[in-house]
């Protein structure tokens, strides 16, 4: 399950990017009961009972499929930092839903459209789960029948760099800082930049600095992560397309080439971890079991 960065500046709740930082999970139907083992990030901190998010997502998918396994064993090797705007909860939800589809004896293939629909219901919005599931950059939207998403191929010159602080931030808290109403001018500005973002990501990376400008959500949450916004400003002043990753406080920079990525690292202050990652083009992968298909 790849980490993901959502919003990418102006595309609030509708764009995401899959990144090469992963959680790896193994699901086994057991004779009875529940066993959860966690190593890596969150070991000794995450619950190992029915309240574990992966287990909750697995149970929800089982209910959706009309299947009740006798027991369950989950082994999680976590690499995605939690509470930092890198899609750890989306990865957990997608893993749980895919695990149920992969083990259910009543299905022959994994329907990615149905996985996306349920994962979005559980997560609350589709941007991170779509990127985690499909890989690459994704655009997602809601319809009367649930979430939909499509994948974009990111230009090879785009080099993502994650700048991760020691502090964490609750997504619920960050969302609570957003106003219910925004000025029409800010909405129009952000819509234009979101449209430009698609072109910049896929075809013209030189436009990424302008394409990642936002008036909808980042400044509104500054009081919860002032250091993140200060770093975004510092990097953007130097010409780098830096944004808050998801709800923060991690900062994502879409650098133009390896040299620019090195410059970003050099501009990062002490107390931040620089994670030079790549775009994960595969998305969530089931390493054994049923093939994954989309009904589209």
């Amino acid at each position: 399950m790849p980490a993901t960065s959502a919003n990418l500046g102006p595309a609030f709740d509708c764009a995401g990017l899959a990144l090469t930082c992963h959680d790896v999970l193994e699901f086994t139907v057991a004779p009875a009961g529940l066993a959860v083992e966690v190593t890596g990030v969150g070991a000794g901190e995450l619950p190992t009972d029915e309240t574990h998010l992966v287990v909750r997502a697995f149970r929800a998918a089982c209910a959706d499929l009309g299947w009740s396994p006798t027991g369950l064993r989950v082994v999680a090797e976590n690499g995605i930092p939690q509470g930092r705007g890198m899609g750890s909860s989306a990865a957990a939800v997608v893993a749980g839903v895919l695990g149920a589809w992969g083990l259910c004896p009543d299905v022959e293939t994994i329907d990615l459209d149905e996985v996306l629909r349920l994962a979005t219901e559980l997560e609350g919005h589709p941007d991170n789960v779509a990127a985690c599931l499909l890989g690459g950059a994704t655009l997602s939207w809601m319809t009367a029948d649930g979430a939909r998403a499509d994948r974009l191929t990111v230009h090879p010159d785009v080099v993502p760099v994650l700048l991760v602080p020691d502090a964490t931030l609750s997504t619920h808290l960050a969302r609570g800082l957003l106003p219910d109403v925004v000025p029409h001018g800010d909405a129009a500005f952000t819509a234009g930049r979101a449209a430009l973002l698609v072109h910049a990501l896929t075809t013209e990376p030189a436009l990424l600095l302008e394409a990642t400008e936002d008036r909808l959500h980042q400044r509104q949450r500054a009081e919860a992560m002032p250091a993140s916004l200060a770093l975004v400003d510092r990097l953007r002043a130097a010409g780098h397309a830096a944004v808050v990753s998801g709800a923060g406080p991690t900062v994502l920079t879409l650098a133009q080439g390896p040299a620019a990525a090195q410059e970003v690292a050099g501009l990062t202050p002490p107390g931040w971890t620089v994670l030079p990652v790549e775009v994960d083009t595969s998305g969530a992968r089931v390493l054994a079991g049923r093939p994954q298909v989309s009904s589209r």
Side-chain angles (χ1 to χ4, degrees):
M1 304 296 133
T4 52
S5 181
N7 304 328
L8 310 183
F12 182 70
D13 274 7
C14 63
L17 184 66
L19 302 166
T20 54
C21 174
H22 300 94
D23 289 348
V24 179
L25 295 101
E26 179 181 349
F27 296 86
T28 308
V29 174
L34 171 67
V36 179
E37 301 174 22
V38 179
T39 60
V41 177
E45 301 174 4
L46 292 173
T48 55
D49 56 15
E50 292 286 347
T51 64
H52 193 291
L53 185 53
V54 171
V55 177
R56 285 188 280 146
F58 183 93
R59 300 297 192 205
C62 287
D64 220 38
L65 292 165
W67 174 54
S68 297
T70 53
L72 176 65
R73 181 171 181 260
V74 180
V75 178
E77 182 181 342
N78 294 341
I80 303 174
Q82 298 184 3
R84 289 177 171 83
M86 293 173 58
S88 60
S89 65
V93 167
V94 170
V97 176
L98 277 178
W101 272 82
L103 289 177
C104 179
D106 300 325
V107 296
E108 295 182 358
T109 57
I110 298 174
D111 187 327
L112 296 185
D113 288 343
E114 286 300 306
V115 172
L116 175 64
R117 176 193 60 76
L118 179 56
T120 298
E121 290 179 6
L122 297 172
E123 178 73 355
H125 41 91
D127 48 1
N128 288 100
V129 293
C132 181
L133 186 62
L134 302 179
T138 55
L139 301 176
S140 52
W141 63 98
M142 297 300 297
T143 72
D145 296 323
R148 298 288 304 279
D150 210 351
R151 185 178 178 278
L152 304 175
T153 300
V154 178
H155 194 285
D157 288 349
V158 177
V159 180
V161 183
L162 289 169
L163 309 174
V164 186
D166 291 335
T168 61
L169 178 62
S170 160
T171 299
H172 178 74
L173 173 62
R175 282 186 169 269
L177 296 173
L178 297 178
D180 293 329
V181 178
V182 297
H184 186 275
D186 288 350
F189 176 93
T190 304
R193 291 302 194 272
L196 179 61
L197 177 65
V198 176
H199 177 63
L201 269 177
T202 59
T203 306
E204 193 58 63
L207 296 173
L208 276 169
L209 182 61
E210 292 176 90
T212 51
E213 291 180 314
D214 156 69
R215 292 184 184 175
L216 198 61
H217 66 99
Q218 294 183 125
R219 296 293 159 191
Q220 290 83 342
R221 299 194 268 203
E223 67 179 79
M225 45 182 164
S228 298
L229 269 296
L231 181 54
V232 166
D233 288 342
R234 181 181 187 182
L235 292 168
R236 294 187 70 86
H240 301 291
V243 297
V244 174
S245 180
T250 292
V251 170
L252 169 72
T253 302
L254 301 172
Q256 295 179 53
Q262 289 182 353
E263 184 177 338
V264 167
L267 290 169
T268 304
W272 294 72
T273 299
V274 179
L275 292 181
V277 291
E278 298 177 3
V279 176
D280 185 304
T281 58
S282 300
R285 282 164 285 177
V286 177
L287 300 180
R290 298 176 176 83
Q292 301 173 185
V293 298
S294 172
S295 61
R296 288 195 301 275

